[in-house]
Amino acid sequence: MAERSFKREVQDLKLGAGETFTGEGILAITKALLESGVGYVGGYQGAPISHLMDVLADAQDLLGELGVRYEANASEAAAAAMLAASVHYPIRGAVTFKGAVGVNVASDALANLASSGVTGGALVIVGEDYGEGSSIMQERSHGFAMKSQFWLLDPRPNLPSIVQAVKQGFELSEASNTPVMLMVRIRSCHVTGQFACADNQRPPLSVRDALSEPRRDFARVVLPPMSYQHERDKVENRWPAAERFITEQGLNEMFGPETAPVGLVVQGGMYNGVIRALQRLGLADIEGRSAIPLYVLNVTYPLVKDEFLAFAKGKEALLVVEEGQPEFIEQGLAAMLHRAGSPVRLLGKGLFPMAGEYTGQIMLDGIAGFLKDTAPQLLPGQVIAPNAPPPEMPDLSQTVPIRPPGFCTGCPERPIFAAMKLVEQELGKHQITGDIGCHLFAALPPFEIGGSTMGYGLGPASNAAFDGGGARRAVSFIGDGGFWHNGLSSSIGNMVFNRSDSVAIVVDNYYSAATGGQDVLSSRAKNASKATGNPISKALEGVGVKWVRQIDRTYDVGHMRDTIREALTTDYDGPKLIVASSECMLNRQRREKPLRAQAIREGRRVEAPRFGVDADICTGDHACIRLSGCPSLSLKVLDDPLRDDPVAHIDQTCVGCGNCGEVADAAVLCPSFYRADLVHNPRPWERLLAGWRSRIITWLQARRARRVLDFGEAS
């Protein structure tokens, strides 16, 4: 089950001409696709592009009614390859995945697509989460667009502009026979607003119709000598056609006065931040009307020379607002000015930082610094002193600990790494690599297991240099999402082919859990539109792995420890695979909590396990915390002058997974953990029994208190 359901919201996708759509950017993108007559849509569902794939999945019925083919692709590469349908057929297609990391995975397919060119409009919607909101390496998709020469849209982050960009993206693709990439930041995905709807359109030619009349054109096959002609076609035909369309259709926008000594060149996605900074400087009103000329690049590649030089004419200086590095746009514009012999000063990086997200304060300081240096007369008074030293802030880095991501309460992956830590205490430290996914959190305290990741599904492959044997066997971890994405062929197949003597542990939590809880091939739940229930262990055996161990309850720390120890010490010379399976607790709670709450409301008897720590028994050495790290396991200070150290304590966020007790038992720590079952709507005899127990416990506690008091008086 996905992290968020859009079953209710997708009903608004049926709105037609004369009606107004109100909602989030991701829903607006989907509506724009339907209004554009898209023939097929797909994408990698494990890529967190702010739920766009979840919207498409929930809208499958509507897509089917319109004759639109929908597919949840196995990877970004598979999604990009799907756009091959638009190479020979005039069918509009769109796929979606995360920005830089998805583009890297899809690079081979995208490069081939850009080389052959397209007949139907081909749109790649990427979630470009550059900056602090990103969970990946800090890169931009812009460089890949330049390398393979497909056009890059970066619309202003409001619903009308986003919807228009989708429609114009298809038109630009068809006008230039080139795939187009539409970049949407996380703020664009979740910005709310309104736009005037149009009717949804059935594709003029559906993929089903195309099958009845297959087409071939060897000139579009990426082989010599055709590939040489593809390059000439890009430069001589597609690029000029794209520039003409961008100019004639006004895809880029200009705001503010026609004449001024200075101007701003702005990435479309940065527009809201720029306007807010100008408002704070008194240079834009509440409706966004700017006193400074703005050239807004809703198309950041290709840059249109004539359009830019016309904007620059008569100005003394321009500021380029370009987030991220390298400064591709600034370099391109500087080359245009140089070749045109223009005296206009071009500024950008330097006033703005080379790297990092452009927050509101950074935007304010950069624009104010530019105006103070080039046109101080435009600043209404001393609104801000951009070169003034910032106020002294205390250095909190030494006193406030960092808060890195970690496993959720009750996560079934935590006991896997507790077991690994116990094995390392016994056998010594091992070479360990991780993979993309929740289990990568094990590299952080308290486990500190693994220290590298090379890409989704490449965890075992990144240990290949250590696969030849040594003092200790290398260990790698890979999630079920990464396993099906790329790991089965690139990692496990690599281990089998090269007769690796290493150990790989597949962390199977039944879902693409880290990115929203979508189903994968090995998910145990039934899915009406997808094939689930395909065991990972069977796939391993299918590619030639002989040593496979299946564990269906990772919370059994002792069993996990013994199995890992066996893999590391066995005489078997070959790849050793452990499939460690337990359902993602977050998804389990999403499913079970509503059912449990409904049962309680209906008066049915419900048991809810709770765990606790007996403060009188706990010694306070906190080894349990070092081997668990569960957010519900914390510290408690006792009102006992003889007990200086706090004891372990389990708070009310506990979900009753039992891992803390299992760890305590496997590590032979202490018997202080206990389990209590909280009974909702108990039977009458249970109420009576509970009353008797309460009275007996109260009497025993009172007797003990009297004995303690008597002992104190006697002494």
Side-chain angles (χ1 to χ4, degrees):
M1 58 185 298
E3 179 181 2
R4 180 178 169 190
S5 173
F6 293 88
K7 289 292 187 183
R8 182 183 58 81
E9 289 92 335
V10 297
Q11 297 305 311
D12 291 340
L13 300 178
K14 299 178 181 179
L15 296 175
E19 297 180 282
T20 299
F21 180 95
T22 302
E24 289 183 74
I26 47 175
L27 289 154
I29 292 171
T30 310
K31 180 70 169 98
L33 291 173
L34 299 180
E35 293 180 0
S36 300
V38 69
Y40 62 95
V41 292
Y44 179 56
Q45 63 178 3
I49 175 180
S50 294
H51 305 296
L52 183 52
M53 281 298 289
D54 295 336
V55 173
L56 292 169
D58 285 340
Q60 282 189 73
D61 290 344
L62 176 58
L63 296 175
E65 292 173 9
L66 293 170
V68 180
R69 163 69 177 167
Y70 165 77
E71 178 161 317
N73 304 108
S75 69
E76 296 90 345
M82 189 181 183
L83 291 171
S86 293
V87 171
H88 295 296
Y89 301 94
I91 307 174
R92 290 183 170 181
V95 298
T96 180
F97 41 76
K98 195 172 182 177
V101 64
V103 172
N104 290 339
V105 172
S107 58
D108 197 13
L110 290 174
N112 278 276
L113 184 72
S115 181
S116 63
V118 294
T119 301
L123 195 64
V124 182
I125 304 170
V126 296
E128 192 82 350
D129 58 352
Y130 181 89
E132 192 168 341
S134 175
S135 61
I136 59 166
M137 74 292 288
Q138 294 298 278
E139 291 186 352
R140 300 172 61 190
S141 301
H142 195 112
F144 197 94
M146 296 171 64
K147 177 188 79 70
S148 294
Q149 291 174 340
F150 48 77
W151 319 135
L152 182 61
L153 306 186
D154 186 3
R156 290 192 292 140
N158 61 71
L159 263 57
S161 294
I162 294 170
V163 169
Q164 185 178 29
V166 171
K167 296 179 179 181
Q168 290 178 330
F170 281 123
E171 294 169 357
L172 173 61
S173 177
E174 291 163 344
S176 60
N177 301 116
T178 304
V180 170
M181 181 176 288
L182 173 65
M183 190 169 82
V184 287
R185 294 170 174 82
I186 192 168
R187 292 183 179 88
S188 300
C189 288
H190 294 298
V191 67
T192 57
Q194 296 180 331
F195 67 91
C197 294
D199 291 331
N200 294 333
Q201 302 293 323
R202 294 182 64 86
L205 177 68
S206 71
V207 289
R208 185 179 293 272
D209 296 334
L211 285 172
S212 62
E213 295 184 14
R215 300 184 182 184
R216 298 186 184 92
D217 182 359
F218 71 84
R220 291 190 178 277
V221 178
V222 187
L223 284 172
M226 290 79 73
S227 53
Y228 310 139
Q229 295 302 318
H230 294 168
E231 184 183 25
R232 293 180 63 89
D233 189 39
K234 284 181 181 179
V235 175
E236 296 175 359
N237 300 312
R238 299 188 211 165
W239 198 330
E243 289 185 331
R244 283 195 303 273
F245 184 87
I246 293 166
T247 303
E248 293 170 0
Q249 299 300 317
L251 269 62
N252 295 322
E253 300 173 285
M254 297 186 189
F255 301 99
E258 293 185 4
T259 58
V262 296
L264 306 182
V265 182
V266 182
Q267 284 175 297
M270 296 283 99
Y271 174 81
N272 288 5
V274 168
I275 287 297
R276 181 57 184 145
L278 292 174
Q279 288 172 341
R280 293 174 67 185
L281 290 168
L283 295 171
D285 62 20
I286 193 65
E287 295 181 353
R289 285 185 286 265
S290 172
I292 305 293
L294 305 178
Y295 178 37
V296 180
L297 296 173
N298 293 314
V299 183
T300 54
Y301 186 78
L303 299 171
V304 182
K305 181 183 67 173
D306 293 343
E307 192 176 80
F308 167 66
L309 292 178
F311 176 76
K313 187 176 181 180
K315 296 181 176 62
E316 299 171 6
L318 297 173
L319 176 67
V320 181
V321 183
E322 178 183 8
E323 185 179 63
Q325 54 80 30
E327 66 276 43
F328 298 116
I329 298 173
E330 185 177 340
Q331 292 177 20
L333 297 180
M336 290 178 183
L337 291 173
H338 174 73
R339 290 169 182 166
S342 173
V344 177
R345 292 177 61 195
L346 189 72
L347 297 92
K349 300 299 184 183
L351 287 168
F352 287 111
M354 174 63 80
E357 185 178 7
Y358 283 5
T359 62
Q361 190 61 47
I362 288 175
M363 194 76 78
L364 177 65
D365 293 344
I367 293 175
F370 167 73
L371 293 174
K372 185 176 182 181
D373 178 47
T374 60
Q377 71 277 11
L378 297 179
L379 287 170
Q382 293 300 315
V383 178
I384 185 173
N387 296 323
E392 288 293 327
M393 295 290 290
D395 182 9
L396 301 179
S397 63
Q398 304 303 314
T399 56
V400 178
I402 62 171
R403 298 190 65 185
F407 297 112
C408 301
T409 300
C411 176
E413 301 184 14
R414 184 177 286 107
I416 299 173
F417 297 101
M420 187 70 227
K421 199 164 186 177
L422 291 171
V423 171
E424 285 204 310
Q425 288 177 359
E426 177 185 346
L427 301 181
K429 192 174 182 179
H430 287 67
Q431 161 61 29
I432 300 176
T433 61
D435 203 280
I436 305 298
C438 299
H439 63 275
L440 191 58
F441 300 152
L444 306 171
F447 301 112
E448 300 181 55
I449 290 175
S452 65
T453 174
M454 290 291 105
Y456 204 28
L458 298 178
S462 59
N463 247 353
F466 304 99
D467 278 353
R472 299 186 183 96
R473 285 169 175 152
V475 182
S476 55
F477 288 89
I478 182 172
D480 48 352
F483 177 86
W484 293 116
H485 176 278
N486 189 30
L488 180 60
S489 58
S490 296
S491 280
I492 308 305
N494 187 68
M495 291 178 72
V496 173
F497 185 69
N498 289 287
R499 298 183 177 179
S500 163
D501 189 34
S502 295
V503 177
I505 300 174
V506 183
V507 181
D508 173 23
N509 55 29
Y510 302 5
Y511 307 96
S512 182
T515 53
Q518 299 90 351
D519 283 334
V520 293
L521 273 166
S522 51
S523 294
R524 311 268 176 120
K526 292 184 178 179
N527 188 311
S529 61
K530 300 290 180 288
T532 54
N534 299 284
I536 291 174
S537 57
K538 294 293 184 183
L540 293 173
E541 293 169 2
V543 296
V545 180
K546 305 293 191 237
W547 197 102
V548 180
R549 299 292 184 270
Q550 174 71 47
I551 297 176
D552 284 322
R553 184 174 175 271
T554 62
Y555 296 104
D556 188 343
V557 177
H559 184 37
M560 278 296 319
R561 175 200 58 201
D562 296 343
T563 306
I564 295 173
R565 184 199 296 121
E566 179 191 1
L568 292 172
T569 58
T570 180
D571 292 335
Y572 178 77
D573 183 14
K576 287 153 283 290
L577 270 293
I578 300 172
V579 183
S581 304
S582 276
E583 184 179 12
C584 166
M585 183 58 73
L586 202 58
N587 262 37
R588 180 178 173 182
Q589 292 299 313
R590 289 190 189 114
R591 184 182 68 254
E592 293 184 352
K593 273 187 175 181
L595 298 176
R596 187 163 56 243
Q598 181 180 356
I600 293 172
R601 287 195 302 270
E602 294 173 354
R604 286 181 278 160
R605 183 183 183 279
V606 175
E607 284 190 13
R610 289 290 183 271
F611 286 81
V613 175
D614 190 328
D616 292 331
I617 299 177
C618 178
T619 62
D621 74 342
H622 310 144
C624 55
I625 295 177
R626 294 193 295 273
L627 279 172
S628 171
C630 180
S632 68
L633 190 58
S634 57
L635 301 177
K636 179 181 179 181
V637 178
L638 301 177
D639 293 329
D640 185 344
L642 300 179
R643 301 283 298 274
D644 294 333
D645 294 331
V647 298
H649 172 68
I650 299 176
D651 64 25
Q652 293 301 310
T653 63
C654 172
V655 295
C657 71
N659 178 56
C660 50
E662 294 278 357
V663 167
D665 179 68
V668 196
L669 296 174
C670 69
S672 61
F673 289 92
Y674 65 85
R675 168 175 168 163
D677 291 331
L678 179 63
V679 180
H680 298 271
N681 302 317
R683 302 289 183 260
W685 65 268
E686 289 179 307
R687 293 180 185 274
L688 182 62
L689 183 59
W692 288 345
R693 287 172 173 168
S694 178
R695 286 192 289 272
I696 293 172
I697 292 171
T698 301
W699 178 78
L700 290 173
Q701 289 176 333
R703 188 180 70 166
R704 180 184 180 188
R706 287 194 301 271
R707 287 182 176 180
V708 171
L709 181 61
D710 292 343
F711 177 78
E713 291 176 350
S715 61

mmCIF file of all heavy atoms in Angstrom, residues 513-544:
data_model
loop_
_atom_site.group_PDB
_atom_site.id
_atom_site.type_symbol
_atom_site.label_atom_id
_atom_site.label_comp_id
_atom_site.label_asym_id
_atom_site.label_seq_id
_atom_site.Cartn_x
_atom_site.Cartn_y
_atom_site.Cartn_z
ATOM 1 N N ALA A 513 9.720 0.365 0.433
ATOM 2 C CA ALA A 513 9.279 1.026 1.662
ATOM 3 C C ALA A 513 9.825 2.435 1.822
ATOM 4 O O ALA A 513 9.117 3.338 2.259
ATOM 5 C CB ALA A 513 9.674 0.173 2.876
ATOM 6 N N ALA A 514 11.105 2.644 1.495
ATOM 7 C CA ALA A 514 11.723 3.943 1.753
ATOM 8 C C ALA A 514 11.095 5.059 0.936
ATOM 9 O O ALA A 514 11.207 6.228 1.287
ATOM 10 C CB ALA A 514 13.224 3.877 1.464
ATOM 11 N N THR A 515 10.425 4.715 -0.143
ATOM 12 C CA THR A 515 9.916 5.745 -1.043
ATOM 13 C C THR A 515 8.405 5.726 -1.175
ATOM 14 O O THR A 515 7.869 6.143 -2.190
ATOM 15 C CB THR A 515 10.568 5.599 -2.429
ATOM 16 O OG1 THR A 515 10.384 4.249 -2.881
ATOM 17 C CG2 THR A 515 12.044 5.896 -2.357
ATOM 18 N N GLY A 516 7.727 5.213 -0.168
ATOM 19 C CA GLY A 516 6.280 5.359 -0.178
ATOM 20 C C GLY A 516 5.480 4.103 0.060
ATOM 21 O O GLY A 516 4.263 4.152 0.175
ATOM 22 N N GLY A 517 6.132 2.929 0.132
ATOM 23 C CA GLY A 517 5.406 1.708 0.441
ATOM 24 C C GLY A 517 4.655 1.095 -0.717
ATOM 25 O O GLY A 517 3.659 0.407 -0.521
ATOM 26 N N GLN A 518 5.138 1.322 -1.955
ATOM 27 C CA GLN A 518 4.475 0.709 -3.101
ATOM 28 C C GLN A 518 4.854 -0.775 -3.200
ATOM 29 O O GLN A 518 5.901 -1.202 -2.709
ATOM 30 C CB GLN A 518 4.866 1.421 -4.403
ATOM 31 C CG GLN A 518 4.489 2.878 -4.465
ATOM 32 C CD GLN A 518 5.575 3.801 -3.926
ATOM 33 O OE1 GLN A 518 6.556 3.352 -3.348
ATOM 34 N NE2 GLN A 518 5.399 5.094 -4.123
ATOM 35 N N ASP A 519 4.000 -1.559 -3.838
ATOM 36 C CA ASP A 519 4.266 -2.983 -4.006
ATOM 37 C C ASP A 519 5.434 -3.218 -4.964
ATOM 38 O O ASP A 519 5.680 -2.430 -5.884
ATOM 39 C CB ASP A 519 3.024 -3.698 -4.552
ATOM 40 C CG ASP A 519 1.960 -3.915 -3.479
ATOM 41 O OD1 ASP A 519 2.326 -3.979 -2.295
ATOM 42 O OD2 ASP A 519 0.772 -4.012 -3.832
ATOM 43 N N VAL A 520 6.142 -4.325 -4.723
ATOM 44 C CA VAL A 520 7.174 -4.810 -5.636
ATOM 45 C C VAL A 520 6.836 -6.263 -5.968
ATOM 46 O O VAL A 520 5.853 -6.818 -5.483
ATOM 47 C CB VAL A 520 8.586 -4.693 -5.018
ATOM 48 C CG1 VAL A 520 8.981 -3.243 -4.850
ATOM 49 C CG2 VAL A 520 8.660 -5.413 -3.679
ATOM 50 N N LEU A 521 7.652 -6.898 -6.795
ATOM 51 C CA LEU A 521 7.367 -8.257 -7.251
ATOM 52 C C LEU A 521 7.191 -9.249 -6.108
ATOM 53 O O LEU A 521 6.385 -10.174 -6.180
ATOM 54 C CB LEU A 521 8.494 -8.732 -8.170
ATOM 55 C CG LEU A 521 8.361 -8.387 -9.655
ATOM 56 C CD1 LEU A 521 9.683 -8.612 -10.357
ATOM 57 C CD2 LEU A 521 7.281 -9.227 -10.306
ATOM 58 N N SER A 522 7.956 -9.069 -5.035
ATOM 59 C CA SER A 522 7.926 -10.026 -3.930
ATOM 60 C C SER A 522 6.968 -9.630 -2.820
ATOM 61 O O SER A 522 6.933 -10.298 -1.777
ATOM 62 C CB SER A 522 9.337 -10.195 -3.350
ATOM 63 O OG SER A 522 9.905 -8.935 -3.048
ATOM 64 N N SER A 523 6.184 -8.574 -2.992
ATOM 65 C CA SER A 523 5.214 -8.179 -1.965
ATOM 66 C C SER A 523 4.264 -9.334 -1.681
ATOM 67 O O SER A 523 3.888 -10.089 -2.578
ATOM 68 C CB SER A 523 4.425 -6.943 -2.422
ATOM 69 O OG SER A 523 5.272 -5.826 -2.526
ATOM 70 N N ARG A 524 3.855 -9.466 -0.422
ATOM 71 C CA ARG A 524 3.006 -10.596 -0.028
ATOM 72 C C ARG A 524 1.516 -10.276 -0.189
ATOM 73 O O ARG A 524 0.697 -11.188 -0.216
ATOM 74 C CB ARG A 524 3.284 -10.967 1.430
ATOM 75 C CG ARG A 524 4.783 -11.115 1.759
ATOM 76 C CD ARG A 524 5.288 -12.518 1.597
ATOM 77 N NE ARG A 524 6.727 -12.619 1.826
ATOM 78 C CZ ARG A 524 7.276 -13.378 2.760
ATOM 79 N NH1 ARG A 524 6.516 -14.093 3.563
ATOM 80 N NH2 ARG A 524 8.584 -13.435 2.878
ATOM 81 N N ALA A 525 1.164 -9.000 -0.252
ATOM 82 C CA ALA A 525 -0.244 -8.620 -0.380
ATOM 83 C C ALA A 525 -0.715 -8.845 -1.815
ATOM 84 O O ALA A 525 0.057 -8.736 -2.772
ATOM 85 C CB ALA A 525 -0.445 -7.164 0.015
ATOM 86 N N LYS A 526 -2.000 -9.128 -1.974
ATOM 87 C CA LYS A 526 -2.575 -9.276 -3.302
ATOM 88 C C LYS A 526 -2.807 -7.902 -3.912
ATOM 89 O O LYS A 526 -3.260 -6.989 -3.251
ATOM 90 C CB LYS A 526 -3.892 -10.050 -3.235
ATOM 91 C CG LYS A 526 -3.722 -11.515 -2.854
ATOM 92 C CD LYS A 526 -5.047 -12.254 -2.895
ATOM 93 C CE LYS A 526 -4.856 -13.734 -2.553
ATOM 94 N NZ LYS A 526 -6.144 -14.476 -2.560
ATOM 95 N N ASN A 527 -2.471 -7.772 -5.178
ATOM 96 C CA ASN A 527 -2.615 -6.511 -5.891
ATOM 97 C C ASN A 527 -3.458 -6.773 -7.135
ATOM 98 O O ASN A 527 -3.121 -7.639 -7.947
ATOM 99 C CB ASN A 527 -1.242 -5.939 -6.261
ATOM 100 C CG ASN A 527 -1.316 -4.544 -6.829
ATOM 101 O OD1 ASN A 527 -2.094 -4.260 -7.722
ATOM 102 N ND2 ASN A 527 -0.481 -3.656 -6.301
ATOM 103 N N ALA A 528 -4.554 -6.022 -7.273
ATOM 104 C CA ALA A 528 -5.506 -6.290 -8.354
ATOM 105 C C ALA A 528 -4.909 -6.059 -9.737
ATOM 106 O O ALA A 528 -5.331 -6.680 -10.721
ATOM 107 C CB ALA A 528 -6.748 -5.414 -8.171
ATOM 108 N N SER A 529 -3.918 -5.158 -9.842
ATOM 109 C CA SER A 529 -3.402 -4.819 -11.170
ATOM 110 C C SER A 529 -1.948 -5.206 -11.385
ATOM 111 O O SER A 529 -1.401 -4.966 -12.454
ATOM 112 C CB SER A 529 -3.554 -3.308 -11.411
ATOM 113 O OG SER A 529 -2.805 -2.576 -10.455
ATOM 114 N N LYS A 530 -1.303 -5.787 -10.363
ATOM 115 C CA LYS A 530 0.109 -6.133 -10.471
ATOM 116 C C LYS A 530 0.342 -7.558 -9.999
ATOM 117 O O LYS A 530 -0.414 -8.076 -9.165
ATOM 118 C CB LYS A 530 0.970 -5.165 -9.635
ATOM 119 C CG LYS A 530 0.852 -3.704 -10.056
ATOM 120 C CD LYS A 530 1.493 -3.468 -11.392
ATOM 121 C CE LYS A 530 1.380 -2.018 -11.826
ATOM 122 N NZ LYS A 530 0.025 -1.632 -12.230
ATOM 123 N N ALA A 531 1.405 -8.188 -10.496
ATOM 124 C CA ALA A 531 1.758 -9.552 -10.102
ATOM 125 C C ALA A 531 2.683 -9.502 -8.897
ATOM 126 O O ALA A 531 3.848 -9.105 -9.011
ATOM 127 C CB ALA A 531 2.427 -10.283 -11.257
ATOM 128 N N THR A 532 2.190 -9.892 -7.736
ATOM 129 C CA THR A 532 2.992 -9.935 -6.516
ATOM 130 C C THR A 532 3.170 -11.394 -6.096
ATOM 131 O O THR A 532 2.747 -12.316 -6.790
ATOM 132 C CB THR A 532 2.310 -9.128 -5.400
ATOM 133 O OG1 THR A 532 0.961 -9.600 -5.239
ATOM 134 C CG2 THR A 532 2.262 -7.647 -5.757
ATOM 135 N N GLY A 533 3.793 -11.604 -4.933
ATOM 136 C CA GLY A 533 3.960 -12.958 -4.413
ATOM 137 C C GLY A 533 5.024 -13.778 -5.109
ATOM 138 O O GLY A 533 4.971 -15.010 -5.099
ATOM 139 N N ASN A 534 6.022 -13.112 -5.711
ATOM 140 C CA ASN A 534 7.127 -13.819 -6.359
ATOM 141 C C ASN A 534 8.327 -13.833 -5.410
ATOM 142 O O ASN A 534 8.986 -12.811 -5.228
ATOM 143 C CB ASN A 534 7.506 -13.127 -7.674
ATOM 144 C CG ASN A 534 6.364 -13.112 -8.666
ATOM 145 O OD1 ASN A 534 6.063 -14.118 -9.287
ATOM 146 N ND2 ASN A 534 5.703 -11.965 -8.792
ATOM 147 N N PRO A 535 8.649 -14.988 -4.807
ATOM 148 C CA PRO A 535 9.681 -15.028 -3.756
ATOM 149 C C PRO A 535 11.067 -14.659 -4.269
ATOM 150 O O PRO A 535 11.477 -15.084 -5.356
ATOM 151 C CB PRO A 535 9.644 -16.489 -3.279
ATOM 152 C CG PRO A 535 8.330 -17.032 -3.737
ATOM 153 C CD PRO A 535 8.014 -16.301 -5.006
ATOM 154 N N ILE A 536 11.772 -13.878 -3.487
ATOM 155 C CA ILE A 536 13.148 -13.511 -3.822
ATOM 156 C C ILE A 536 14.031 -14.752 -3.840
ATOM 157 O O ILE A 536 14.921 -14.888 -4.689
ATOM 158 C CB ILE A 536 13.667 -12.464 -2.819
ATOM 159 C CG1 ILE A 536 12.940 -11.129 -3.033
ATOM 160 C CG2 ILE A 536 15.170 -12.276 -2.935
ATOM 161 C CD1 ILE A 536 13.264 -10.067 -2.000
ATOM 162 N N SER A 537 13.789 -15.684 -2.909
ATOM 163 C CA SER A 537 14.614 -16.894 -2.837
ATOM 164 C C SER A 537 14.538 -17.696 -4.133
ATOM 165 O O SER A 537 15.532 -18.276 -4.582
ATOM 166 C CB SER A 537 14.187 -17.754 -1.648
ATOM 167 O OG SER A 537 12.810 -18.086 -1.735
ATOM 168 N N LYS A 538 13.375 -17.731 -4.759
ATOM 169 C CA LYS A 538 13.225 -18.452 -6.027
ATOM 170 C C LYS A 538 14.017 -17.772 -7.142
ATOM 171 O O LYS A 538 14.627 -18.425 -7.995
ATOM 172 C CB LYS A 538 11.747 -18.540 -6.416
ATOM 173 C CG LYS A 538 10.893 -19.375 -5.473
ATOM 174 C CD LYS A 538 11.282 -20.843 -5.528
ATOM 175 C CE LYS A 538 10.361 -21.689 -4.665
ATOM 176 N NZ LYS A 538 10.769 -23.116 -4.647
ATOM 177 N N ALA A 539 13.994 -16.438 -7.139
ATOM 178 C CA ALA A 539 14.763 -15.706 -8.147
ATOM 179 C C ALA A 539 16.260 -15.961 -7.965
ATOM 180 O O ALA A 539 17.008 -16.094 -8.942
ATOM 181 C CB ALA A 539 14.459 -14.211 -8.055
ATOM 182 N N LEU A 540 16.712 -16.036 -6.710
ATOM 183 C CA LEU A 540 18.127 -16.308 -6.436
ATOM 184 C C LEU A 540 18.520 -17.684 -6.963
ATOM 185 O O LEU A 540 19.563 -17.846 -7.603
ATOM 186 C CB LEU A 540 18.390 -16.232 -4.930
ATOM 187 C CG LEU A 540 18.253 -14.854 -4.283
ATOM 188 C CD1 LEU A 540 18.363 -14.957 -2.764
ATOM 189 C CD2 LEU A 540 19.309 -13.896 -4.818
ATOM 190 N N GLU A 541 17.687 -18.657 -6.691
ATOM 191 C CA GLU A 541 17.969 -20.003 -7.185
ATOM 192 C C GLU A 541 17.959 -20.022 -8.711
ATOM 193 O O GLU A 541 18.741 -20.748 -9.341
ATOM 194 C CB GLU A 541 16.937 -20.979 -6.628
ATOM 195 C CG GLU A 541 17.038 -21.172 -5.112
ATOM 196 C CD GLU A 541 15.846 -21.926 -4.544
ATOM 197 O OE1 GLU A 541 14.968 -22.330 -5.340
ATOM 198 O OE2 GLU A 541 15.787 -22.105 -3.306
ATOM 199 N N GLY A 542 17.101 -19.200 -9.306
ATOM 200 C CA GLY A 542 16.994 -19.168 -10.761
ATOM 201 C C GLY A 542 18.235 -18.648 -11.454
ATOM 202 O O GLY A 542 18.502 -19.025 -12.604
ATOM 203 N N VAL A 543 18.993 -17.778 -10.784
ATOM 204 C CA VAL A 543 20.219 -17.260 -11.412
ATOM 205 C C VAL A 543 21.451 -18.038 -10.954
ATOM 206 O O VAL A 543 22.572 -17.651 -11.269
ATOM 207 C CB VAL A 543 20.411 -15.756 -11.129
ATOM 208 C CG1 VAL A 543 19.300 -14.955 -11.758
ATOM 209 C CG2 VAL A 543 20.529 -15.474 -9.644
ATOM 210 N N GLY A 544 21.225 -19.123 -10.192
ATOM 211 C CA GLY A 544 22.346 -20.008 -9.883
ATOM 212 C C GLY A 544 22.908 -19.939 -8.487
ATOM 213 O O GLY A 544 23.963 -20.527 -8.219
#
